[in-house]
Amino acid sequence: MAGKRLLWTMVPVEEEQHYDEYVMGLYAQGVLTPNEWLDLGGLSELSAAEYFGASLWQLYKVLIPPIKPY
């Protein structure tokens, strides 16, 4: 994962509904090399509830750090 770029940045918003087909087309054309990119899947697969829940969890972790034993 280290050093790989996110594949999300290569997919235009208007192609988001056809994410997999678009990415496979880029690979087939030789525009992208699969080993250089981190593919986390299309953003349309992310539900609003999951996004909101993950955001709250991150906020909670920032505001309430774990208690360190002395």
Side-chain angles (χ1 to χ4, degrees):
M1 287 179 30
K4 291 188 176 186
R5 296 173 283 180
L6 287 175
L7 192 54
W8 287 338
T9 60
M10 295 299 293
V11 180
V13 174
E14 55 273 1
E15 294 294 336
E16 192 59 45
Q17 294 299 325
H18 310 285
Y19 180 86
D20 291 330
E21 294 86 9
Y22 186 81
V23 170
M24 288 302 152
L26 292 176
Y27 288 152
Q29 294 171 11
V31 175
L32 301 176
T33 306
N35 294 335
E36 295 177 1
W37 297 89
L38 180 60
D39 186 5
L40 299 174
L43 293 175
S44 64
E45 301 293 323
L46 185 64
S47 70
E50 186 176 352
Y51 178 78
F52 184 69
S55 299
L56 283 179
W57 183 82
Q58 292 290 331
L59 181 62
Y60 173 77
K61 287 299 192 180
V62 168
L63 295 177
I64 303 171
I67 300 172
K68 296 180 183 178
Y70 293 102

